């Protein structure tokens, strides 16, 4: 049949008659993903408008507490609100968990990392203290870039900005920093260099430090310490920002429950103690910090294993500590006090309030007296505002209580706040084609109209009437504040629900192109399938389609996405049971079938360990993540075994490669490639030895072993890839096609394996050995259903069942190696194996290899084994390469179908509560995996098909 189809393929010469469908599929997938991403991960429209002092004349509010007119400026320097503070110190502790600050008495169980920031708790619990702790809630995604944008703009950054976290673009919309500079405030910054990327021309002085080397716990922090304390004695700034990173990096590398984390928290406690002492010493009358406010805050939280990015409670909950260095004259009415008080372990009464990070920009703007950022939708937090607000009135009677005076001022600033938010919503809706619906806008307009009407006809008149008594104004003020609260809460609720602008036309276009690519792949598979033999593949092969359908449909449920590793391994074990049944019936390959099921049990165990790492403990997050070492903690003998066994397995792998190269069919290009891999394996052993507590000798200095040896391994691997890529120039013509295919596949896998194993840590050899065993079992079991008594098959169609098993096994290896489809499933430490400094492209490549090495790179490049080990009567090159082409297209088809269903799930669930915390990360991982699969398939097509010639 292959001969009958030859004239149809003669239009394309050489290898391109087999590989062109793979390249066209890559183009279709890239186009589909580009369109869908443009429709799904759109940011909200950033309006090019900025707030100005003169804008307040358009509002119905009372402009100043001293001037009851609408002049655009005032002698005391006020703008939209009367300034309550003149200087501000903001200390950002990156990835500050709420339980780092709150006393352990607020939690059911005390943990080792709690009660380490003692100074914040002690200061806030003093009698008559002007300090308060807040539980702050961040909006996901919880990466530093989005949180800094949210804190300074008062808006809701969207998921697409995660991609910019490694190269932050400058903020072009109105923001707090811009307003400070525009209104004559001098801003001093030190620490995380993300600030200088977001605000490149705003700082009077800045001391930025590189922020992406997660292995470095001290450089950024030490730089902050060097400049922070001396700057407190300087007069050339109005706002000081100091961004520490040590806790964030300690979490990424070691986890929350680790000694480096605890030491960092103790260091921060000492620093904050010094800062508070210095500010208090200069806060007397006429002092430099007489009217200074200190804010210590986190930009987001972190999980127990030290990661963040999603919308889990540990990630979105952080803390804010605010302190005014004079006793505040304003007291907040109990109706607006959200604090919860408990006794700490020392018997001190500690009160903790709550706030949204969305409210930060508006509240700080009101305290400093500058215009609110144009796009802010936050609400002035009453408790934080009360910490800084002075005692002043709006012409009211001096007989009013402090509580009533505070309510007068707060009602007026809420009027400004609400007017600004309504102005923004109106302009945004008019300029954006996709935004709030007409029903949403009607709801917003009616709630604001009601609040404004109440203000104009009741509250404002009472505030301007100096004879108004307490009894008359108090109920009116409370009602007015409640109405503004209702309006601002309505806007925030609708914005969180519908802010992201989904372009359904682009999303549907991308999905349709994906379906076109699937149809094209099916036709490409069928083009080489003989009609006479087609019915023979629909026996056990039907199960392959069923397994694929089950896996694809599982993505329509968020619960199954969370358990994706278990689902994939269950389907893999199901296929193994089916093959065991065939092995029993035909009385052969029983050992391989049973071994495959045992391997599935091992995969299930390792996936369970990975889930434990994800959800329960941070002990697994080491510099080189290895669950092998961590499951044995507390058992010295097993710790020794866990350190030695990976080395023995690596030696075994090297021995197997050495035996393979002794075969006469391995000529010098391939033989030297594989023997270079053996050398790399030995270098990996040398790299590991300094980290082994059970081994008392050192072969090389630690600095060389940790940094230079990995670089040598990378260099060897690069040389191997170049050698195998041009190895076709040295091929032996006398070798048959299958033998040559096996040799080239072994050489390619050998070139990649040292880097993949090195980045995976000490679990790498075991995962590699498991992948060899699993691949061998799949290859052997593939002949179980062959012709009678194992006679070679004459069909030119590759068995879909074997390809499906290969694909499911690759997915299982992804989860076996400790990954999962979330941003906290990335092992950032792997990106710094062999390097201390951060270089974006280099670290991205290493992180990609670590994440997808066992699940995409090695399985795709090892796929030719499926064809080369089949027992077939037809051994011509045309026949073999047609089968290899089918195998690659089938493998890509399975990946494309599962990715398409994941995209369908994201489209359906785009308004789901977990869209940014679960569905969107799954989408990102799947589309990256699909494109990588296509890229390596195309590379393999150029490498493995370079011998295609017309058979004589």
């Amino acid at each position: 049949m292959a001969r009958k189809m030859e004239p149809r393929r003669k239009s394309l010469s050489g290898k391109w008659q087999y590989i062109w469908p793979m390249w066209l599929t890559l183009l279709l997938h890239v186009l589909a993903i580009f369109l869908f991403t443009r429709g799904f991960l759109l940011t909200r429209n950033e309006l090019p408008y900025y707030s100005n002092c003169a804008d307040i004349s358009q509002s119905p509010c009372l402009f100043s507490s001293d001037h009851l007119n609408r002049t655009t400026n005032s002698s005391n320097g006020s703008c939209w609100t009367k300034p309550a503070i003149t200087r501000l110190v903001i200390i950002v502790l990156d990835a500050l968990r709420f339980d780092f600050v709150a006393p352990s008495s607020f939690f059911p169980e005390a943990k080792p990392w709690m009660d380490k920031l003692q100074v914040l708790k002690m200061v806030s619990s003093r009698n008559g203290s002007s300090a308060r702790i807040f539980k702050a809630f961040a909006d996901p995604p919880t990466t530093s870039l989005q949180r800094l944008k949210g804190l300074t703009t008062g808006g809701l950054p969207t998921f697409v900005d995660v991609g910019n976290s490694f190269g932050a673009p400058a903020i072009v919309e109105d923001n707090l920093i811009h307003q400070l500079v525009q209104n004559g405030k001098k801003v001093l910054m030190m620490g995380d260099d993300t600030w200088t990327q977001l605000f490149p021309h705003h700082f009077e002085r800045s001391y930025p430090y590189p922020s992406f080397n997660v292995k470095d716990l001290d450089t950024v922090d030490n730089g902050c310490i060097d400049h922070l304390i001396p700057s407190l004695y300087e007069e050339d700034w109005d706002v000081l920002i100091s961004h520490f990173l040590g806790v964030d990096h300690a979490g990424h590398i070691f986890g929350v429950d680790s000694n480096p984390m605890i030491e960092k928290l103790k260091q921060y406690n000492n620093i904050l103690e010094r800062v508070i002492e210095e500010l208090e010493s200069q806060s007397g009358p006429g002092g430099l910090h007489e009217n200074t406010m200190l804010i210590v805050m986190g930009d987001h939280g972190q999980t127990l294993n030290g990661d963040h990015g999603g919308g889990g409670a540990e990630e979105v909950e952080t803390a804010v500590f605010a302190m005014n260095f004079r006793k505040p004259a304003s007291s907040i009415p109990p109706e607006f006090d959200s604090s919860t008080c408990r006794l700490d372990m020392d018997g001190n009464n500690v009160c903790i309030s709550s706030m949204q990070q969305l409210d930060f920009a508006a509240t700080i703007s009101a305290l400093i007296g500058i215009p609110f950022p144009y796009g802010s939708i936050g609400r002035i937090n009453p408790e934080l505002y009360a910490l800084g607000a002075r005692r002043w009135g709006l012409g009211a009677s001096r007989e009013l209580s402090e509580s009533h005076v505070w309510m007068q001022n707060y009602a007026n600033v809420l009027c400004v706040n609400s007017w600004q938010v309504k102005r923004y919503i109106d302009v945004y809706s008019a300029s954006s084609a996709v935004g709030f619906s007409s029903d949403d806008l009607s709801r917003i307009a009616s709630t604001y109209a009601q609040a404004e009407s109440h203000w104009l006809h009741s509250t404002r008149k009472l505030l301007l009437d100096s004879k108004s008594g307490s009894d008359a104004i108090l109920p009116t003020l409370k009602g007015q504040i409640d109405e503004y609260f209702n309006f601002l809460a309505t806007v925030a609720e609708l914005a969180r629900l519908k802010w992201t602008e989904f372009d359904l036309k682009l999303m549907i276009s991308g999905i349709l192109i994906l379906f076109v690519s699937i149809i094209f792949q099916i036709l490409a598979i069928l083009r080489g399938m003989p009609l006479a033999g087609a019915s023979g593949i629909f026996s056990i092969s039907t199960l392959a389609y069923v397994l694929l359908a089950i896996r694809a449909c599982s993505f329509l449920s968020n619960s199954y996405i969370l358990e994706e590793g278990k689902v994939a391994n269950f389907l893999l074990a199901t296929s193994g049971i089916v093959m065991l049944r065939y092995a029993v019936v035909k009385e052969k390959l029983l050992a391989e079938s049973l071994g495959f099921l045992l391997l599935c049990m091992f995969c299930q165990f390792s996936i369970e360990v990975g889930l434990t790492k994800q959800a329960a403990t941070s002990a697994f997050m080491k510099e080189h993540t290895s669950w092998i070492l961590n499951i044995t903690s507390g058992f010295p003998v097993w710790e020794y075994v866990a350190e030695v066994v990976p080395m023995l397995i690596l030696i075994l792998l090297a021995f197997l490669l050495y035996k393979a190269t002794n075969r006469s069919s391995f000529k010098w290009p391939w033989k030297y490639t594989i023997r270079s891999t053996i050398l790399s394996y030995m270098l990996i052993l040398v790299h590991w030895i300094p980290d082994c507590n059970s081994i008392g000798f050192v072969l090389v200095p630690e600095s060389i072993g940790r940094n230079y040896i990995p670089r040598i391994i990378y260099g060897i691997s690069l040389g191997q890839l170049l050698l195998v890529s041009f190895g076709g120039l040295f091929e032996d013509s006398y070798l048959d096609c299958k033998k040559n295919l096996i040799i080239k596949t072994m050489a390619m896998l050998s070139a990649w394996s040292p880097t993949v194993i090195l980045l995976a840590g000490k679990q790498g050899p075991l995962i590699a050995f498991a992948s060899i065993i699993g691949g061998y079992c799949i290859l052997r079991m593939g002949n179980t259903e062959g012709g009678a008594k194992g006679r070679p098959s004459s069909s030119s169609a590759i068995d879909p069942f074997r390809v499906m098993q290969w694909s499911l096994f690759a997915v299982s290896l992804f989860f076996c190696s400790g990954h999962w489809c979330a941003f906290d499933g990335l092992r950032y430490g792997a990106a710094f194996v062999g390097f201390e400094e951060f270089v974006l492209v280099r670290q991205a490549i290493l992180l990609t290899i670590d994440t997808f090495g066992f699940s995409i790179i090695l399985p795709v490049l090892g796929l030719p084994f499926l064809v080369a080990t089949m027992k077939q009567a037809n051994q011509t090159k045309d026949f073999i390469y047609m089968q290899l082409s089918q195998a690659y297209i089938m493998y890509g088809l399975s990946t494309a179908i599962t990715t398409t269903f994941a995209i369908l799930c994201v489209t359906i669930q785009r308004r789901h509560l977990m869209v940014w915390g679960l569905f969107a990360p799954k989408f990102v991982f799947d589309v990256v995996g699909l494109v990588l699969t296509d890229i390596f398939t195309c590379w393999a097509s150029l490498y493995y098909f370079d011998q295609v010639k017309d058979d004589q």
Side-chain angles (χ1 to χ4, degrees):
M1 186 62 195
R3 291 295 186 187
K4 292 181 181 180
M5 297 187 64
E6 184 176 357
R8 186 174 63 184
R9 300 195 302 269
K10 284 298 183 180
S11 58
L12 291 172
S13 61
K15 61 187 176 184
W16 289 103
Q17 61 183 315
Y18 305 100
I19 70 175
W20 69 268
M22 308 173 198
W23 289 85
L24 181 57
T25 299
L26 171 61
L27 294 177
L28 288 174
H29 287 167
V30 170
L31 177 60
I33 292 170
F34 172 77
L35 292 176
F36 185 88
T37 303
R38 290 278 294 178
F40 176 62
L41 297 183
L42 284 176
T43 56
R44 56 184 172 84
N45 290 342
E46 296 181 349
L47 302 182
Y49 305 119
Y50 296 85
S51 298
N52 297 292
C53 284
D55 296 344
I56 195 66
S57 62
Q58 304 170 17
S59 78
C61 312
L62 298 176
F63 158 58
S64 168
S65 60
D66 293 332
H67 302 276
L68 304 179
N69 52 48
R70 292 187 175 183
T71 57
T72 59
N73 204 349
S74 66
S75 59
N76 59 16
S78 62
C79 191
W80 283 15
T81 61
K82 180 177 172 61
I85 58 175
T86 56
R87 306 190 95 192
L88 177 64
V89 176
I90 302 176
I91 297 178
V92 181
L93 306 181
D94 207 289
L96 183 70
R97 286 171 59 100
F98 174 63
D99 57 6
F100 287 167
V101 177
S104 56
S105 58
F106 278 77
F107 305 94
E109 182 182 357
K111 298 294 184 179
W113 59 84
M114 296 180 182
D115 299 318
K116 295 299 181 288
L117 296 178
Q118 289 281 342
V119 63
L120 302 184
K121 179 184 64 175
M122 292 174 58
V123 171
S124 62
S125 63
R126 293 175 185 169
N127 291 330
S129 173
S130 56
R132 178 165 294 200
I133 295 174
F134 294 84
K135 183 178 185 179
F137 297 90
D139 289 287
T142 49
T143 51
S144 294
L145 171 64
Q146 288 73 30
R147 291 298 86 234
L148 294 184
K149 290 186 70 173
L151 287 167
T152 55
T153 63
L156 295 172
T158 49
F159 182 85
V160 70
D161 295 325
V162 170
N164 295 325
S165 290
F166 296 98
I171 296 179
V172 296
E173 63 180 323
D174 199 3
N175 58 81
L176 178 63
I177 306 298
H178 171 81
Q179 288 297 335
L180 288 170
V181 175
Q182 286 298 108
N183 288 274
K185 307 296 182 182
K186 298 179 180 179
V187 184
L188 170 62
M189 193 286 302
M190 58 197 69
D192 187 349
D193 62 354
T194 304
W195 286 89
T196 56
Q197 298 174 47
L198 293 174
F199 311 102
H201 308 295
H202 293 74
F203 300 116
E204 186 75 12
R205 284 186 290 125
S206 62
Y207 305 98
Y209 296 89
S211 58
F212 291 115
N213 186 356
V214 294
K215 293 170 62 178
D216 185 353
L217 306 185
D218 300 315
T219 298
V220 177
D221 289 357
N222 291 341
C224 290
I225 296 170
D226 291 341
H227 297 286
L228 177 56
I229 301 299
S231 297
L232 298 180
Y233 294 92
E234 299 172 354
E235 300 183 7
D236 61 343
W237 57 266
D238 299 293
V239 176
L240 185 153
I241 301 172
S242 184
H243 191 142
F244 290 76
L245 275 177
V247 161
D248 178 65
H249 289 183
H252 282 305
I253 299 300
F254 301 103
V256 171
D257 189 8
S258 63
N259 288 330
M261 176 65 76
I262 294 174
E263 291 301 317
K264 267 295 164 188
L265 292 174
K266 290 180 179 178
Q267 180 190 25
Y268 286 178
N269 186 71
N270 294 332
I271 296 169
L272 294 175
E273 191 172 12
R274 288 186 59 192
V275 169
I276 292 174
E277 288 177 355
E278 296 297 338
L279 291 175
E280 284 184 327
S281 66
Q282 304 178 65
S283 62
L288 185 60
H289 297 293
E290 178 186 7
N291 204 22
T292 297
M293 173 175 276
L294 169 67
I295 293 181
V296 180
M297 65 186 302
D299 53 348
H300 50 74
Q302 58 178 300
T303 61
L304 287 176
N305 55 9
D307 293 306
H308 52 88
E314 293 176 312
E315 298 165 278
V316 301
E317 292 177 1
T318 183
V320 172
F321 168 85
M323 182 177 183
N324 197 335
F325 290 90
R326 54 171 173 73
K327 185 176 180 181
S330 299
S331 60
I332 184 171
E335 296 91 339
F336 307 107
D337 192 342
S338 65
S339 62
T340 300
C341 300
R342 293 184 185 177
L343 296 178
D344 64 7
M345 297 179 63
D346 299 323
N348 298 317
N349 188 41
V350 180
C351 296
I352 295 181
S353 303
S354 63
M355 68 174 293
Q356 298 287 333
Q357 276 195 355
L358 189 68
D359 303 337
F360 181 80
T363 307
I364 297 301
S365 298
L367 286 171
I368 297 180
I370 59 176
F372 303 169
Y374 194 93
S376 172
I377 59 171
R379 182 196 72 177
I380 298 173
N381 182 271
E383 295 154 290
L384 182 56
Y385 181 73
L387 282 177
R390 293 177 175 177
R391 179 176 181 174
W392 58 64
L394 291 174
S397 171
R398 296 183 179 180
E399 297 177 358
L400 294 179
S401 66
E402 290 184 0
S403 176
H404 295 170
V405 173
W406 179 88
M407 290 180 67
Q408 287 182 353
N409 289 282
Y410 188 58
N412 191 57
V413 296
L414 273 185
C415 175
V416 177
N417 190 182
S418 301
W419 162 79
Q420 171 265 321
V421 171
K422 181 61 167 58
R423 178 186 65 165
Y424 171 65
I425 294 298
D426 289 343
V427 175
Y428 182 86
S429 300
S431 61
S432 176
V434 183
F436 293 100
S437 66
S438 57
D439 291 339
D440 296 336
L441 293 176
S442 177
R443 179 182 172 189
I444 291 173
S446 66
T447 53
Y448 180 73
Q450 182 177 347
E452 185 181 31
S453 176
H454 191 279
W455 170 265
L456 292 175
H457 296 94
S458 302
T459 311
R460 190 173 187 273
K461 292 182 178 180
L462 286 173
L463 292 177
L464 292 174
D465 185 2
S466 60
K467 298 180 180 180
S468 299
S470 174
D471 294 338
I473 199 172
L474 182 58
T476 304
L477 288 174
K478 288 182 178 180
Q480 186 67 62
I481 292 174
D482 287 340
E483 289 186 1
Y484 282 140
F485 275 8
N486 182 41
F487 165 73
L488 294 170
T490 299
V491 173
E493 175 190 355
L494 293 175
R496 286 191 175 96
L497 182 64
K498 300 182 178 181
W499 196 262
T500 305
E501 299 181 356
F502 299 111
D503 191 329
L504 287 178
K505 292 182 179 179
L506 287 178
M507 294 171 67
I508 293 174
S509 298
I511 293 174
L512 290 177
I513 294 176
L514 280 176
F515 277 109
V516 169
S517 73
I518 290 174
I519 295 173
F520 168 74
Q521 287 174 294
I522 293 174
L523 295 176
I525 294 171
L526 295 176
R527 74 189 180 112
M529 189 176 293
L531 298 178
S535 60
I537 69 167
F538 288 106
S539 53
I540 192 174
S541 299
T542 305
L543 180 60
Y545 309 131
V546 173
L547 296 179
L548 176 60
I550 293 173
R551 173 165 155 73
C553 292
S554 69
F555 294 150
L556 298 176
S557 167
N558 61 326
S559 298
Y560 280 104
I561 291 177
L562 288 171
E563 303 290 345
E564 181 183 0
K566 292 182 180 180
V567 172
N569 191 68
F570 173 79
L571 297 176
L572 182 66
T574 302
S575 70
I577 293 174
V578 173
M579 297 311 298
L580 177 62
R581 180 252 183 191
Y582 277 91
V584 171
V585 170
K586 299 194 175 185
E587 298 181 352
K588 63 177 182 178
L589 300 178
L590 284 173
E592 287 83 350
S593 300
L594 290 173
F596 188 74
L597 289 177
L598 290 176
L599 182 63
C600 291
M601 293 175 62
F602 164 79
C603 291
Q604 180 68 21
F605 167 75
S606 58
I607 291 171
E608 290 284 356
V609 171
L611 292 175
T612 302
K613 162 190 161 184
Q614 176 183 0
T617 178
S618 62
F620 291 94
M621 293 302 293
K622 302 296 181 183
E623 183 173 351
H624 307 294
T625 306
S626 176
W627 48 259
I628 298 174
L629 296 178
N630 290 277
I631 61 175
T632 61
S633 59
F635 301 93
V637 175
W638 288 108
E639 287 182 1
Y640 181 82
V641 172
E643 288 182 345
V644 173
V645 167
M647 298 182 179
L648 295 179
I649 294 178
L650 197 59
I651 293 174
L652 175 61
L653 294 176
F655 175 75
L656 294 176
L657 285 178
Y658 176 77
K659 293 290 290 184
T661 57
N662 286 334
R663 297 172 56 183
S664 59
S665 58
F666 281 82
K667 297 304 178 182
W668 76 266
W670 320 117
K671 181 176 292 186
Y672 285 113
T673 297
I674 294 177
R675 289 190 173 176
S676 297
T677 299
I678 297 174
L679 173 61
S680 295
Y681 286 172
M682 298 302 103
L683 290 175
I684 292 175
L685 292 177
V686 177
H687 170 69
W688 283 345
I689 286 176
D691 294 328
C692 294
N693 299 325
S694 304
I695 300 178
F697 61 90
V698 178
L699 297 179
V700 294
E702 183 177 356
S703 60
I704 296 178
R706 292 179 62 85
N707 293 326
Y708 290 99
I709 287 182
R711 299 179 192 181
I712 295 173
I713 295 172
Y714 300 148
I716 293 175
S717 296
L718 181 60
Q720 290 174 294
L721 290 175
L722 292 175
L723 183 59
V724 298
S725 298
F726 296 100
L729 301 175
F730 310 100
E731 291 175 358
D732 296 298
S733 58
Y734 69 86
L735 288 179
D736 65 55
C737 185
K738 281 193 173 183
K739 287 184 178 179
N740 191 71
L741 199 57
I742 291 175
I743 292 173
K744 295 179 71 175
T745 304
M746 289 187 63
M748 178 60 76
L749 295 179
S750 298
W752 276 99
S753 63
T755 300
V756 174
I757 292 174
L758 172 67
L759 296 177
K762 290 186 179 178
Q763 67 186 13
L766 191 56
I767 301 296
F769 190 62
S771 64
I772 292 174
I773 295 176
Y776 173 78
C777 292
I778 292 174
L779 298 178
R780 291 282 291 161
M781 292 187 302
N783 294 308
T784 303
E785 200 207 357
K789 297 183 181 179
R791 289 198 300 266
S793 171
S794 60
S795 172
S796 64
I798 191 73
D799 184 5
F801 189 79
R802 303 175 77 198
V803 178
M804 178 54 58
Q805 280 189 309
W806 198 270
S807 176
L808 286 173
F809 187 49
V811 175
S812 296
L813 289 177
F814 174 81
F815 294 94
C816 286
S817 55
H819 297 95
W820 59 90
C821 294
F823 295 111
D824 55 357
L826 297 173
R827 292 200 298 251
Y828 297 101
F832 294 90
V833 174
F835 302 96
E836 298 292 340
E837 66 280 1
F838 176 83
V839 177
L840 176 61
V841 175
R842 181 181 65 204
Q843 263 61 49
I845 292 173
L846 293 178
L847 188 61
T848 301
I849 294 174
D850 172 68
T851 304
F852 299 105
F854 284 115
S855 60
I856 291 180
I857 298 175
L858 297 183
V860 170
L861 297 178
L863 196 63
F865 280 135
L866 287 178
V867 174
T869 57
M870 287 183 65
K871 294 180 180 179
Q872 298 158 322
N874 192 342
Q875 298 290 325
T876 63
K877 293 178 182 177
D878 181 78
F879 178 83
I880 293 171
Y881 284 112
M882 175 54 69
Q883 285 199 320
L884 184 57
S885 175
Q886 283 184 328
Y888 269 115
I889 297 173
M890 282 184 181
Y891 190 90
L893 176 64
S894 66
T895 306
I897 290 176
T898 55
T899 302
T900 301
F901 270 77
I903 290 177
L904 279 174
C905 174
V906 168
T907 304
I908 295 171
Q909 306 285 3
R910 64 187 183 277
R911 299 296 184 191
H912 193 279
L913 179 65
M914 295 295 293
V915 63
W916 304 122
L918 177 64
F919 296 111
K922 170 62 179 170
F923 160 77
V924 171
F925 273 80
D926 275 17
V927 297
V928 170
L930 177 62
V931 172
L932 281 178
T933 298
D934 289 340
I935 290 174
F936 277 93
T937 295
C938 292
W939 182 19
S941 70
L942 296 176
Y943 174 66
Y944 292 122
F945 288 81
D946 60 358
Q947 276 195 329
V948 177
K949 299 176 182 178
D950 293 336
D951 293 324
Q952 299 297 323

